[in-house]
Amino acid sequence: MITKKEFGGIEPRFTFAKILAILVLVSIGTTLYLNEPDLKNQTRFMILTLLSLAGFVATLKLVPPTAYYCIHKGNLSGRDINKEVSGRIPESLGIAIGSIYITVVIMFQPFFYEMLGEYNAALTSITFMLFLGFVDDVLDLRWRIKIFLSFLATLPLLVAYAGPTSVIVPKPFRELAGFNIELGYLYHAYMAIIAVFCTNSINIYAGINGLEVGQSVVISLSVLVHNFLQLDGPYANENYLSIFLMLPFFATCTGLLIFNWYPSQVFVGDSFTYFSGITLAVAGIMGHYSKTLMLFFIPQLINFIISLPQLFKIIPCPRHRVPKFNAKDGLLYPSYTENGLPNLTVINGMIHLFGPTHERTLFVRLMILQVLCCILGFGIRYSHTITNIFYDGEYRI
């Protein structure tokens, strides 16, 4: 039997964080339960909350042994380049929580049968993308192969999609284009692009301890709040489906963050970033709020846009665009390309804005940015003053 010592000292830290996570999960489940008039859905929320709590606990228990096997059996480990001294840190721990998440969602499946086809398609796409991420961690795939396989992973989602394929034209353009435009298969292409963007935007917005998991926790919590506010809207079943996908995701990500918070005991790998991105995308597409989801991805959108010159090789793009660690003062500095140009990322931009900083401080600032952007997203989504400029009533984004 493997002992805790053989796990390399990897164990859940931050007792307060564990208690807080449990309280948040219980609070979310209780809020959903108390505000649901239908007994059937009350039962569903109660079961979902219990399963999510089980997923959280399972994450705390499964990460240490998985980390052990990643190092000693699979040779999946790396060095933390933002530390002066760093031993081997296990990588690809996304496979652990992805497996737990899929198990929890499958266990909940018998209790939600109204959209079984969409539910199964969501699971298939998530499983496919998790597998792709793990393969990337092991084989280090080229970007063009990653993008191609990411599109393939969206196929079950696109085939099962049974919602509208038309878009409401914003008011300023209705004289030219009419009230709505039927896109047909172009709408499916749009959904595929959204899914691939979500998957890869989290993948490139990374590089410091906790960032990939932290942004996923904030976005998933924002999605849950939005779903709750939409339960009495025209797409109630779709928002129920999104909640059933998001609460276990929030629970497992929170459990992983306890290990990935600075100083990180584990690295999550591409298996997590792919899994996280597709799960959020699936919930947004199946829940019919893909435009609202993009409002929660504002930092990722900014990071993607400013990264385009490097992604398209207009400016040299090194393999890693993470900040540069200075061992003399223990601070992170902006990183540059081989010809002296700055790497174009939000992370480096934050360092340029505030100056050299400690990694923990940088992570907190980026999380504050994510929270503020999500609040801005809610302001745009639910502000009649803003949205009525483009849409009317129930046609708001």
Side-chain angles (χ1 to χ4, degrees), residues 156-176:
L157 179 67
L158 303 182
V159 171
Y161 180 77
T165 56
S166 61
V167 294
I168 306 299
V169 178
K171 287 181 182 179
F173 306 103
R174 287 180 185 171
E175 290 188 6
L176 296 174

Side-chain angles (χ1 to χ4, degrees), residues 35-68:
N35 287 273
E36 176 56 54
D38 184 67
L39 179 60
K40 178 177 64 176
N41 287 325
Q42 284 183 335
T43 304
R44 287 172 172 172
F45 285 143
M46 182 173 62
I47 295 171
L48 181 70
T49 303
L50 292 174
L51 286 173
S52 298
L53 285 169
F56 173 76
V57 174
T59 300
L60 299 182
K61 296 295 185 181
L62 188 61
V63 165
T66 305
Y68 171 86

Side-chain angles (χ1 to χ4, degrees), residues 147-166:
I147 299 298
F148 173 72
L149 293 177
S150 297
F151 275 108
L152 285 182
T154 66
L155 288 179
L157 179 67
L158 303 182
V159 171
Y161 180 77
T165 56
S166 61

Side-chain angles (χ1 to χ4, degrees), residues 62-63 66-67 69-71 74-78 89-99 130-139 212 256 260 265-273:
L62 188 61
V63 165
T66 305
Y69 284 110
C70 283
I71 289 180
N75 197 29
L76 291 171
S77 63
I89 297 179
E91 291 185 304
S92 197
L93 267 294
I95 193 68
I97 76 151
S99 301
L130 176 65
F131 174 72
L132 169 60
F134 186 69
V135 169
D136 190 22
D137 285 331
V138 175
L139 301 180
E212 301 98 313
L256 182 59
N260 192 232
Q265 295 180 293
V266 301
F267 291 151
V268 296
D270 289 341
S271 56
F272 175 79
T273 58

Side-chain angles (χ1 to χ4, degrees), residues 4-290:
K4 186 179 292 186
K5 184 177 180 180
E6 288 176 302
F7 289 155
I10 296 175
E11 58 181 324
R13 305 165 295 175
F14 313 123
T15 301
F16 173 76
K18 289 184 282 186
I19 296 173
L20 179 61
I22 292 172
L23 290 175
V24 171
L25 282 169
V26 172
S27 298
I28 294 172
T30 303
T31 301
L32 292 169
Y33 179 87
L34 294 178
N35 287 273
E36 176 56 54
D38 184 67
L39 179 60
K40 178 177 64 176
N41 287 325
Q42 284 183 335
T43 304
R44 287 172 172 172
F45 285 143
M46 182 173 62
I47 295 171
L48 181 70
T49 303
L50 292 174
L51 286 173
S52 298
L53 285 169
F56 173 76
V57 174
T59 300
L60 299 182
K61 296 295 185 181
L62 188 61
V63 165
T66 305
Y68 171 86
Y69 284 110
C70 283
I71 289 180
H72 297 285
K73 304 296 182 181
N75 197 29
L76 291 171
S77 63
R79 190 178 69 86
D80 193 336
I81 60 177
N82 290 332
K83 306 290 186 300
E84 183 175 3
V85 178
S86 173
R88 293 173 64 195
I89 297 179
E91 291 185 304
S92 197
L93 267 294
I95 193 68
I97 76 151
S99 301
I100 294 169
Y101 170 83
I102 291 169
T103 301
V104 169
V105 174
I106 290 175
M107 290 176 67
F108 183 76
Q109 188 180 42
F111 303 99
F112 184 67
Y113 42 80
E114 285 87 348
M115 300 176 66
L116 193 58
E118 290 87 344
Y119 197 97
N120 288 332
L123 271 174
T124 305
S125 288
I126 292 169
T127 304
F128 194 123
M129 199 66 81
L130 176 65
F131 174 72
L132 169 60
F134 186 69
V135 169
D136 190 22
D137 285 331
V138 175
L139 301 180
D140 194 16
L141 301 175
R142 294 184 178 183
W143 269 104
R144 61 175 178 267
I145 299 176
K146 296 180 187 180
I147 299 298
F148 173 72
L149 293 177
S150 297
F151 275 108
L152 285 182
T154 66
L155 288 179
L157 179 67
L158 303 182
V159 171
Y161 180 77
T165 56
S166 61
V167 294
I168 306 299
V169 178
K171 287 181 182 179
F173 306 103
R174 287 180 185 171
E175 290 188 6
L176 296 174
F179 181 78
N180 69 331
I181 299 176
E182 175 59 46
L183 296 179
Y185 287 114
L186 289 177
Y187 193 85
H188 286 77
Y190 157 76
M191 291 189 295
I193 292 171
I194 289 291
V196 173
F197 166 77
C198 290
T199 299
N200 289 280
S201 65
I202 293 179
N203 194 29
I204 66 173
Y205 186 40
I208 64 171
N209 290 174
L211 182 56
E212 301 98 313
V213 188
Q215 61 186 292
S216 300
V217 168
V218 174
I219 295 173
S220 60
L221 184 58
S222 301
V223 167
L224 283 166
V225 173
H226 170 70
N227 294 148
F228 173 72
L229 296 174
Q230 294 296 308
L231 287 181
D232 59 350
Y235 294 113
N237 275 342
E238 287 78 5
N239 280 280
Y240 280 118
L241 172 60
S242 179
I243 290 174
F244 299 152
L245 293 174
M246 280 293 99
L247 191 57
F249 177 74
F250 173 78
T252 51
C253 286
T254 304
L256 182 59
L257 184 59
I258 291 174
F259 295 95
N260 192 232
W261 190 283
Y262 180 93
S264 179
Q265 295 180 293
V266 301
F267 291 151
V268 296
D270 289 341
S271 56
F272 175 79
T273 58
Y274 284 29
F275 157 71
S276 173
I278 194 63
T279 304
L280 292 166
V282 162
I285 291 170
M286 290 300 189
H288 297 175
Y289 58 89
S290 58

